[in-house]
Amino acid sequence: MYSSLFFFIVTPAITIPIIEECSNTYGTTCVKSTADSVEVNCFVRDSRPAVKLSWTIRTHGGDHILLSSYMNFTTDNVTYTSHVTATFSFGESSVLSLLVCRANRVPLNLVEDENVLLIEKEVDYTSLATPIRRYLKIHSPMNLSCAELGLNLVIWKWSPELDAFETLYVSIFQKIDHTIISSKEYKLEDEGSLSLQNTLVEHEGLYACLYDNGVSGGIVLYDVLVIVDPTPIFPVIDGCNHQQYCVLEKQPQDVLICSVLGIRPKVALEWRAFRKETVIDFTEQQLTVTQMDDLYDISLTVNFDFTQTTQNKVTVECRAVGENAELFSLSTKIDLLFPNVLPTEQRSYTSTITIIAVLVVTMMIIITVAVVIGYRLR
């Protein structure tokens, strides 16, 4: 007795294992965020025969089997749905993990061998890493390094105002150097660093690099601030016609105004006597900050009192002080002239002349009186 065997193959409509737990998809990479454990599911639908599926964890040392539950079923006795499920939890030192849904023993290449799911641990980045402050001149290049851990899983994120993070890059460095790019403005270098050729104010913010090699990982944070020099590149003194040095005639009690224009980040300003031995009081200081788009105009107005001195000229300085002052070299010195104040030497000379004149007049009076008395006596 002979029996005839009839065997046919049905190729599924989607020829790659389907992963359903996607929070976001970048290119062809599925990314899932979780704070604790997560159940992951993978399917191949409408195939014949059924496809054996399994879950593994990919590390720099190779793939490790993840305890999985597999099943297949048919609803029409023709095609099959294959399904594998597993539960994944992060280790203490990991922030990223790459799970692989593998199609094993695929007959006649019905489907591709694998699909990957990148799991991201939901954490407060600032609680795990201290931001590295990075100051960059406007229009200068930016390069932020991450970490080198063999096979790298890398996610770069950016938060412009300490708000929600926006994903810039999701990259999986495998043997085929597969990189998933989600932002064309930045460039992801081969070693995982983030670069930018022309840094603008709009690129300021907090940058987070999440990295892992499947065994251990971490987070690197950068706080990027853009520097814009003022125009002109020195404090401007009211009355000096935008010169870095000038001479102003003032009264012993008068007003001084100093400004820096178009600067970023903000600085504070200070008036002071250039020489410590100079006695001058600055009072009623008023600092004004005006924002114009991304830049700041800063002005400091002070009243000064120079009435307790005998000098008719003094050198004073307006300079940047406080936070961010070290980013700039901002200083302008001016000489103040007080025409109605005589200097000490001139006062001494004048006093001496006055005394001599009084003595001469007195002697002349005495001589005159003596002559008159003598004449009368004769």
Side-chain angles (χ1 to χ4, degrees):
M1 181 177 180
Y2 296 95
S3 62
S4 62
L5 297 178
F6 180 71
F7 180 79
F8 65 93
I9 294 174
V10 177
T11 301
I14 301 176
T15 59
I16 187 171
I18 301 168
I19 298 173
E20 293 198 336
E21 282 71 30
C22 282
S23 299
N24 296 287
T25 301
Y26 300 96
T28 59
T29 299
C30 172
V31 180
K32 171 69 177 177
S33 300
T34 181
D36 193 8
S37 61
V38 61
E39 181 182 279
V40 291
N41 294 274
C42 182
F43 296 86
V44 172
R45 293 188 174 96
D46 301 327
S47 72
R48 183 180 181 89
V51 178
K52 176 65 175 177
L53 301 173
S54 64
W55 281 105
T56 61
I57 302 175
R58 182 155 293 168
T59 73
H60 72 297
D63 288 3
H64 300 276
I65 295 175
L66 182 64
L67 184 62
S68 309
S69 176
Y70 168 78
M71 63 174 294
N72 65 68
F73 58 90
T74 179
T75 57
D76 56 8
N77 292 322
V78 177
T79 60
Y80 293 86
T81 295
S82 305
H83 172 225
V84 63
T85 183
T87 300
F88 170 80
S89 298
F90 274 105
E92 292 185 2
S93 59
S94 292
V95 292
L96 296 173
S97 190
L98 187 64
L99 305 188
V100 182
C101 177
R102 295 189 60 85
N104 305 297
R105 300 189 301 274
V106 180
L108 300 177
N109 298 321
L110 277 180
V111 295
E112 296 183 27
D113 291 340
E114 65 181 39
N115 198 0
V116 295
L117 170 62
L118 185 59
I119 306 290
E120 174 192 349
K121 190 174 187 178
E122 291 179 351
V123 292
D124 179 8
Y125 303 146
T126 56
S127 67
L128 295 182
T130 301
I132 301 169
R133 180 66 61 87
R134 185 67 61 84
Y135 291 100
L136 297 173
K137 289 276 191 179
I138 193 167
H139 302 306
S140 66
M142 176 177 70
N143 189 281
L144 306 178
S145 61
C146 197
E148 298 181 3
L149 292 174
L151 176 136
N152 274 354
L153 308 174
V154 176
I155 294 182
W156 275 101
K157 292 174 175 282
W158 171 60
S159 174
E161 296 179 354
L162 296 179
D163 201 353
F165 277 83
E166 170 190 342
T167 300
L168 300 177
Y169 274 99
V170 176
S171 296
I172 303 170
F173 291 83
Q174 301 184 36
K175 292 181 180 179
I176 58 173
D177 196 26
H178 181 53
T179 302
I180 309 301
I181 301 176
S182 65
S183 175
K184 295 182 179 179
E185 186 175 8
Y186 297 86
K187 181 180 179 181
L188 190 68
E189 304 295 343
D190 291 341
E191 73 279 7
S193 64
L194 187 71
S195 67
L196 184 67
Q197 290 302 311
N198 184 25
T199 306
L200 304 175
V201 173
E202 64 194 51
H203 299 124
E204 277 192 346
L206 201 62
Y207 289 80
C209 178
L210 286 70
Y211 62 90
D212 210 296
N213 63 6
V215 177
S216 62
I219 296 174
V220 179
L221 284 180
Y222 293 95
D223 184 12
V224 173
L225 294 176
V226 175
I227 300 173
V228 181
D229 288 323
T231 304
I233 57 172
F234 52 84
V236 176
I237 309 302
D238 193 30
C240 281
N241 194 25
H242 285 225
Q243 296 175 354
Q244 196 166 7
Y245 170 78
C246 75
V247 178
L248 294 180
E249 287 191 1
K250 290 288 185 178
Q251 298 300 316
Q253 291 180 319
D254 216 322
V255 176
L256 287 171
I257 301 175
C258 170
S259 305
V260 289
L261 307 174
I263 194 172
R264 185 181 182 90
K266 292 182 290 185
V267 296
L269 296 176
E270 175 190 66
W271 277 104
R272 68 169 184 170
F274 183 63
R275 296 177 179 85
K276 293 182 180 180
E277 63 271 14
T278 302
V279 180
I280 184 169
D281 294 327
F282 294 103
T283 61
E284 299 183 21
Q285 303 191 25
Q286 181 180 356
L287 184 69
T288 303
V289 179
T290 304
Q291 184 170 359
M292 303 290 291
D293 297 326
D294 297 321
L295 306 179
Y296 299 93
D297 291 344
I298 302 168
S299 178
L300 178 63
T301 303
V302 299
N303 293 349
F304 67 86
D305 188 342
F306 198 62
T307 57
Q308 302 301 316
T309 185
T310 57
Q311 296 175 292
N312 70 340
K313 185 177 78 169
V314 63
T315 303
V316 295
E317 177 187 22
C318 178
R319 62 173 185 162
V321 294
E323 185 180 9
N324 302 322
E326 72 279 359
L327 303 177
F328 308 92
S329 180
L330 297 178
S331 172
T332 296
K333 301 176 185 65
I334 61 171
D335 284 335
L336 302 179
L337 288 183
F338 305 100
N340 297 328
V341 176
L342 294 176
T344 303
E345 297 79 5
Q346 188 173 346
R347 284 190 176 187
S348 300
Y349 177 76
T350 303
S351 300
T352 302
I353 296 298
T354 302
I355 293 172
I356 293 173
V358 171
L359 290 175
V360 170
V361 171
T362 303
M363 291 299 295
M364 291 180 64
I365 292 173
I366 293 173
I367 292 171
T368 301
V369 171
V371 171
V372 171
I373 293 174
Y375 175 78
R376 287 185 176 181
L377 290 175
R378 287 197 300 269

